[in-house]
Structure formats: C-alpha cells, structure tokens
Amino acid sequence: MRTIDDLDVAGKRVLVRADLNVPIEDGRITDDGRIRAGLPTISTLRERGAKVIVCAHLGRPKGEPRPEFSLAPVAARLGELLGAEVAFASDVAGESARTTAGGLADGEVALLENLRFEPGETSKDDAERGAFADRLAALAELYVGDGFGAVHRRHASVFDVPKRLPHAAGGLIATEVAVLERLTEDVARPYAVVLGGSKVSDKLGVIDNLLGKADRILVGGGMVFTFLRAQGHEVGGSLLEEDQLDTVREYLRRAREAGVEFVLPVDIVAATAFAADAPHDVVPADAIPADRLGLDIGPESGKLFAARLADAATVFWNGPMGVFEMEPYSHGTRAVAQGLVDSGAFTVVGGGDSAAAVRRLGFAEDGFSHISTGGGASLEYLEGKALPGLQALED
Ligand code: ADP
Ligand code: MG
C-alpha cells in the first residue's frame, strides 16, 4: 500500500477521507478521540504544503441534510486541535464545497459537510455512487484514505473516489493495518481475545475465525448470557439472543475440539432493573435469580480474567464487560482494562464503546499498545473479510 510519503502533495488539493464520527450530545462533542487520531495525517499534509480538503461522515442521516448531524462542531474542534482555522463547507460536493476548496492556500484546511447528507455516498447502486464520487473527486487532485473506521464500507468516499484519483493510505490507516497484521500473522503467543459488548450476533464472525487462531477467548458483557444460557443456566432478564443458542453451543464444542480455552465469568452483578440506583448483588454465574438482570461480570470474574491475561503475549479486546456507563456496573470493564495494562503483552483495544470506556475510566492511552479507531472495521478484518476501503487503496 502506498503511503503519503509516496505522494508529491506540495501545492496540490488533497482530499482526505477521515473518520470523524464522534459522539455528540446537545451539540457538544463528548469524546474527541477520533478527531485526535486523524490529526497527524492532516498536519503532515499541511506541513508539506498541501491544500487539505477533509471529508467525513457523522451518524446516519440517511441521505439528506439533517442539522443535528452537521459536522460544524467537528470543524470547530478540529481547528482548535490543529491550532489553525478550518474552513467549513455547508454542503458536501456542491457550490459551497467548490468555493471553499478552491479558496484554500497551500497548508490550509477545509472540512466538507457530512458525506451521508448525499444519498450517493452509501448507495448500493454503482452508478449512483459513481456519480457522487465524480463530484467529490472533482474537488481535488489527490486522494488520501485515512478513515479507518469506515474502510469496511463500500461507500463512494471510501471505495469509488480512490479509483478516480492518484491515492495513498494516510498514517492512521497504515498504523491500524500494521497492528491488525500483528493480530493475524505470526502472532506472539499465548494469544488471548476478550469479547464483550451488547450483542453476540455482532461478534459471531470474529469468534468463528478466531477459534482457529486464538489460544483463549474470554467472554463478558451482554453477550455472555447467551453463552450461559447455552450451558443450561438461568439468566433472568439479562440480554439474551435465543436464535444464537445453537451457534454458541457449536462454538463451545469446536473450542473444546481445537483446544481453545473459553473463559466465562464465574460471578455476575445482577440488578433488579437497568438503572444505576437499582438494588444489585453479586451472584454465581450459574444461579442468576429469575427476577434479576446481569449488568456486569463480578469481582471473582474480574480476577479470573486478569489472571488469564497476565501471561499472554498478545491481547485483543473488543466490547465492555458490563454497562460501564453506570458506575456500579463499570468494575468488570475496569478489571479487564487493568489486566491488559499489567500484562506487558502487545495489547489492542478495538471498538468505539471500548475505547470510550478506557478513557472514561481514566486509563492513560499509552498503557495500551494500540487503541483502534475502528470497531466494525477491525472486527471484519479479524473475521478474515476483504475490506473495500483497503482494497481500493491497494489497487
Ligand atoms: P464496542 O463499541 O466496543 O464494539 P459494543 O457496541 O458491542 O462495544 O457494546 C457496548 C455496549 O454494551 C455498552 O453500551 C454497554 O453498556 C453494553 N453492555 C455491556 N454489558 C452489558 C450487559 N450486561 N447488559 C446490557 N448491555 C451491556
Ligand atoms: Mg459500539
């Protein structure tokens, strides 16, 4: 894959596909991690005299302009972090975008409005996507793909624009891919994978593929109850995906056969309701009362998980161990994060909520080898799928 070092960008208009899909509440950015992750590439291009035109998406506005999904607050934050003005175009590839991009001097930066305000961005129809890609590509002379969180999408800005302009991978994508290669090729062992989060169905593909690669799979979070149920235990009102029970049983069987260790929690924090102030107790994982729901792994499980990480050489973690957004159910996630930090292993945190959890619980980012900006993208890579945005950059 070509990188920006291979491009002669001085004086050129460079379209950068970034991932600036940050959480916004009441017009305020609550976690600017993804904006920060995109800074090095933008800064390097500025220093080398490029006219930098950044494009990105925010949320799911479904192909039409919706003010609550405007990238305007992101333009302001990007400007603060860069210490430079960021010109903001009020459309994606229309009059404002053309004027804004055309008005840039060398080293200046513009941000286009939310890509997903245009139906062509996400269209399944090649011609509709292509027509939008033509308009986007016309704004620039070069393309840099750096939105790792979107590389698993066959979207115009990710997949079709690089076919229309000389292109290269930005620093973020180059780093993310190098990390993922360490999780898939010549992996240092023992290789432990920690999976959590809300839905088992999101993570089945990755479990399927990792059953042939990981030495240990530790499971927590909302998905654990489908595993516990598959083993015949009561799970009360906890999250449960009945339609995945057979698949999960099959994975447990395959793991035994392949000698992959599945580590499930031994205790659970079970509450009377999905609320921070609901009465809650620690109960054995095989005896969750029928009128309770499990909202975190318990303290013994936290110790067990940390112990199974302590001697690992490689750890990949995706998905919080509990409802970390509420303090009483954040301890399992904290224990696992601490387990990664203490392990001395090559540690990778993937997933938007997992990355947010680590920061929210006060862990320093440099306690981990890498915090990925792309949850879905890193999972699909680990599933062994080809990612359209990476393929397009390689061509
Ligand atoms: P990521 O974004 O890191 O991939 P997910 O999106 O899969 O993670 O899951 C994150 C969500 O899972 C969090 O909002 C968290 O509250 C929720 N979660 C974790 N454990 C539970 C549980 N026991 N019950 C309900 N939700 C849970
Ligand atoms: Mg998530």
Side-chain angles (χ1 to χ4, degrees):
M1 218 177 335
R2 272 182 308 277
T3 69
I4 47 177
D5 297 338
D6 304 313
L7 288 184
D8 181 11
V9 300
K12 301 266 176 56
R13 277 175 289 122
V14 182
L15 183 69
V16 179
R17 180 26 163 131
D19 175 13
L20 306 177
N21 190 23
V22 291
I24 296 188
E25 281 165 29
D26 305 323
R28 277 193 40 251
I29 296 167
T30 54
D31 180 1
D32 64 3
R34 281 183 166 157
I35 306 179
R36 290 176 185 276
L39 290 178
T41 296
I42 297 173
S43 296
T44 302
L45 290 171
R46 288 185 65 210
E47 282 157 24
R48 288 172 48 194
K51 303 172 168 77
V52 187
I53 306 159
V54 183
C55 63
H57 75 279
L58 183 71
R60 295 172 185 260
K62 309 250 167 74
E64 59 183 27
R66 302 249 307 265
E68 67 272 33
F69 291 109
S70 172
L71 278 171
V74 173
R77 185 73 187 126
L78 180 60
E80 279 167 24
L81 292 169
L82 282 172
E85 188 171 337
V86 171
F88 184 61
S90 60
D91 58 25
V92 190
E95 192 52 45
S96 174
R98 280 190 292 275
T99 318
T100 309
L104 291 176
D106 294 357
E108 288 185 346
V109 181
L111 176 64
L112 308 178
E113 185 52 286
N114 191 342
L115 286 161
R116 293 191 185 168
F117 285 1
E118 289 274 354
E121 167 67 358
T122 57
S123 175
K124 299 252 186 294
D125 177 51
D126 290 348
E128 188 185 13
R129 251 193 4 263
F132 172 58
D134 285 340
R135 283 163 52 212
L136 209 48
L139 297 171
E141 296 150 281
L142 300 170
Y143 172 90
V144 169
D146 210 30
F148 179 72
V151 289
H152 57 315
R153 307 283 187 206
R154 200 183 197 86
H155 290 170
S157 66
V158 176
F159 181 71
D160 303 275
V161 177
K163 296 188 184 308
R164 287 162 168 77
L165 291 173
H167 52 263
L172 178 61
I173 284 194
T175 305
E176 295 272 10
V177 169
V179 166
L180 287 166
E181 282 171 352
R182 279 184 73 174
L183 297 177
T184 45
E185 293 159 25
D186 300 323
V187 186
R189 295 182 182 279
Y191 178 15
V193 175
V194 192
L195 295 173
S198 44
K199 284 170 72 187
V200 112
S201 44
D202 286 350
K203 320 264 157 120
L204 288 176
V206 91
I207 297 176
D208 194 337
N209 200 37
L210 287 171
L211 274 176
K213 303 202 167 65
D215 301 301
R216 298 171 194 155
I217 302 179
L218 290 61
V219 182
M223 61 189 274
V224 84
F225 304 101
T226 304
F227 280 83
L228 293 173
R229 188 81 200 104
Q231 294 182 323
H233 306 308
E234 170 71 55
V235 297
S238 310
L239 278 184
L240 175 63
E241 286 177 79
E242 300 263 9
D243 54 341
Q244 306 297 348
L245 285 171
D246 285 338
T247 311
V248 163
R249 274 188 207 108
E250 175 63 13
Y251 287 162
L252 290 168
R253 192 194 59 76
R254 270 173 54 199
R256 270 196 303 277
E257 218 169 73
V260 176
E261 184 190 359
F262 252 106
V263 186
L264 295 178
V266 291
D267 55 355
I268 294 289
V269 180
T272 58
F274 191 88
D277 57 1
H280 54 271
D281 301 290
V282 176
V283 301
D286 59 2
I288 299 172
D291 58 354
R292 295 283 182 112
L293 56 164
L295 296 181
D296 194 10
I297 62 169
E300 286 308 314
S301 309
K303 281 184 210 150
L304 170 68
F305 282 21
R308 299 311 284 140
L309 297 175
D311 67 337
T314 305
V315 183
F316 173 70
W317 173 29
N318 174 285
M321 295 294 100
V323 184
F324 71 93
E325 297 91 337
M326 302 179 194
E327 199 281 332
Y329 318 117
S330 64
H331 304 285
T333 303
R334 185 184 295 281
V336 162
Q338 192 63 51
L340 261 74
V341 171
D342 295 342
S343 69
F346 177 66
T347 53
V348 180
V349 183
D353 291 293
S354 311
V358 158
R359 288 191 276 265
R360 184 168 173 146
L361 296 175
F363 286 88
E365 294 190 23
D366 61 8
F368 306 90
S369 307
H370 183 69
I371 299 181
S372 175
T373 52
S378 40
L379 284 179
E380 288 199 16
Y381 189 103
L382 294 178
E383 280 172 35
K385 288 190 187 158
L387 307 184
L390 296 184
Q391 274 183 318
L393 290 175
E394 269 154 19
D395 289 344

